Amino acid sequence: MSVMVSLFDARRTRTSEKYTVYDADVLPMFVAEMDCALAEPVRDALLRAVTDGDTGYVGHGRALPEAFADFAADRWDWAVDPDLVRTTTDVSVAAVETLRRVIEPGDQVVVMPPVYAPFWDYVTEAGGSVTEVPLLAPAGTADPYDTTAGWRMDLDGVRQAFAEGARTVLLCNPHNPLGLVHDRESLVALARLAAEWDAVVVSDEIHAPLVHADATFTPFLDCCPEAAALGVALTSASKAWNTAGTKCALMVGASDRARAWFDGMPTEVVERTGILGYTASVAAFSEGGPWLASLLAELAANRRILAEELGAALPGAGYRQPQASYLAWLDLRALPWGDDPALRLVDEARVALSNGRDFGRQGIGHARLNFGCSEDTLREGLSRLAAAV
């Protein structure tokens, strides 16, 4: 049975942003939410909670830290200490509250564009200032069957940022919008560089369960002893199991320093965790593996369709298959849609994509396409885009 559901059925019953922002004739392929059914264990756990009236404030048990630790050990051979796991509403809150503990007002925080648009806001909300160290793009024209592995961190640029006063890196691993999975060697190099400058790395790893079969995810905290000593990982079940609205994320440490940061946070940071999100996350990490495997198979098929057919639909478009997630980064600069193609395509193709410019200056002329949908929806989107050329 397919994990994906038809866009028509989803739109008829759902009220989330994806299905309500645009008119009904626009294909919503922008925000990172999938057209999928809930995993049965997650659905059943939520139904039990609602039936039992278990909808109050979140408790203080160890169920979720232990479920995540088991998942991490099984999937990545990563030994997580449940005592160094805290929860909160979502990864955005986790990022802001962690940064508030590790920086002083005005401190520089390194981000690596093109990157998830809210990263700039996280830093400023926490009281810091953004220092951009863009990723290094692969040279030459990509074969669409290539993956995003050609992209890499600019470690020399990070060193220069440290030399100029930055002491924190806000890392995205896997990297959104590219779907890049940073390799172990790069992560080790970043950790050792940070250790040299007594810097901190906060690693957003929300897309980690969505890594495809041709890539290997390395948790930042597990890449080397230096990373464990100076890092914090942020993650959630929400992206992989499509439960963003239930509100639960995890902050993971591996050192006494991280424990002190967590213990120094206001109690409300944890108290704001949604109890339904907590319930859903326990079910996802402990019982959601088979459903996740089915999802990844369908996403891999859609990823192949894009590689096979995007060139014919959009001659001159640049695309590399993402190593993780269901988000495709499209270079549309060769097409007649200007600096912000997504803005044009809503009107000209009736397809809503994410604006590339939102991910940094490097996103000018680009757009992000969400292929977490049925094959029929994906093909309809490609057909509409082709007709708009």
Side-chain angles (χ1 to χ4, degrees):
M1 180 178 177
S2 174
V3 166
M4 296 300 174
V5 300
S6 79
L7 174 61
F8 174 80
D9 289 343
R11 205 162 210 162
R12 183 168 49 82
T13 60
R14 298 179 184 180
T15 61
S16 60
E17 177 186 4
K18 179 174 185 179
Y19 306 104
T20 56
V21 166
Y22 293 100
D23 293 338
D25 66 328
V26 174
L27 287 185
M29 306 182 83
F30 66 114
V31 69
E33 177 182 344
M34 294 180 286
D35 301 337
C36 68
L38 273 180
E40 288 186 3
V42 173
R43 180 201 64 195
D44 293 347
L46 289 172
L47 285 172
R48 283 195 302 272
V50 172
T51 299
D52 294 342
D54 190 14
T55 55
Y57 296 112
V58 73
H60 296 276
R62 288 169 54 92
L64 181 51
E66 291 178 353
F68 178 72
D70 289 344
F71 180 85
D74 180 66
R75 200 164 193 88
W76 305 307
D77 197 27
W78 175 23
V80 171
D81 181 353
D83 289 333
L84 284 170
V85 177
R86 302 289 189 275
T87 67
T88 189
T89 23
D90 52 38
V91 165
S92 63
V93 170
V96 171
E97 296 299 338
T98 300
L99 289 172
R100 281 179 172 151
R101 300 308 305 170
V102 305
I103 69 172
E104 297 295 333
D107 279 359
Q108 299 174 51
V109 178
V110 172
V111 302
M112 301 179 183
V115 73
Y116 184 48
F119 269 33
W120 283 265
D121 294 334
Y122 297 167
V123 174
T124 56
E125 185 177 346
S129 62
V130 171
T131 296
E132 295 185 9
V133 181
L135 292 176
L136 297 175
T141 303
D143 182 319
Y145 291 96
D146 288 345
T147 69
T148 50
W151 289 82
R152 66 190 192 281
M153 286 187 270
D154 181 0
L155 293 169
D156 289 337
V158 174
R159 178 180 291 278
Q160 181 64 31
F162 287 162
E164 294 175 358
R167 289 295 180 269
T168 306
V169 175
L170 183 56
L171 180 68
C172 198
N173 180 39
H175 193 99
N176 175 10
L178 302 175
L180 167 66
V181 178
H182 295 294
D183 60 53
R184 179 178 292 274
E185 291 75 16
S186 298
L187 296 173
V188 169
L190 175 64
R192 290 177 176 166
L193 182 58
E196 180 183 338
W197 289 88
D198 192 27
V200 175
V201 177
V202 180
S203 184
D204 177 349
E205 300 182 354
I206 194 170
H207 290 274
L210 292 169
V211 170
H212 296 292
D214 53 6
T216 300
F217 173 71
T218 300
F220 177 75
L221 297 181
D222 195 45
C223 76
C224 64
E226 291 89 344
L230 57 79
V232 171
L234 315 175
T235 192
S236 175
S238 63
K239 204 62 65 182
W241 284 274
N242 218 44
T243 58
T246 62
K247 293 299 180 185
C248 182
L250 298 90
M251 301 171 285
V252 184
S255 67
D256 289 338
R257 192 180 185 192
R259 187 191 306 273
W261 290 329
F262 295 159
D263 290 347
M265 291 178 181
T267 56
E268 281 299 311
V269 173
V270 173
E271 297 292 339
R272 292 178 187 132
T273 307
I275 193 169
L276 293 180
Y278 192 103
T279 298
S281 299
V282 172
F285 286 126
S286 59
E287 303 175 69
W291 181 91
L292 182 61
S294 297
L295 170 71
L296 285 168
E298 292 187 41
L299 295 179
N302 282 352
R303 190 179 71 148
R304 285 195 302 273
I305 290 170
L306 279 174
E308 293 166 357
E309 302 184 17
L310 185 71
L314 300 177
Y319 164 69
R320 290 173 183 260
Q321 293 189 102
Q323 296 175 295
S325 85
Y326 45 85
L327 303 170
W329 185 238
L330 307 181
D331 181 351
L332 303 176
R333 288 175 293 178
L335 290 133
W337 296 320
D339 289 347
D340 191 355
L343 184 63
R344 296 271 300 272
L345 289 167
V346 171
D347 292 328
E348 297 181 19
R350 307 307 285 166
V351 176
L353 307 178
S354 294
N355 300 315
R357 181 62 182 83
D358 291 345
F359 300 88
R361 292 187 300 276
Q362 299 74 14
I364 290 173
H366 293 67
R368 193 189 71 177
L369 180 148
N370 176 350
F371 60 86
C373 57
S374 69
E375 179 181 335
D376 288 346
T377 298
L378 179 59
R379 291 188 183 279
E380 173 64 17
L382 286 173
S383 177
R384 293 187 184 194
L385 292 172
V389 175

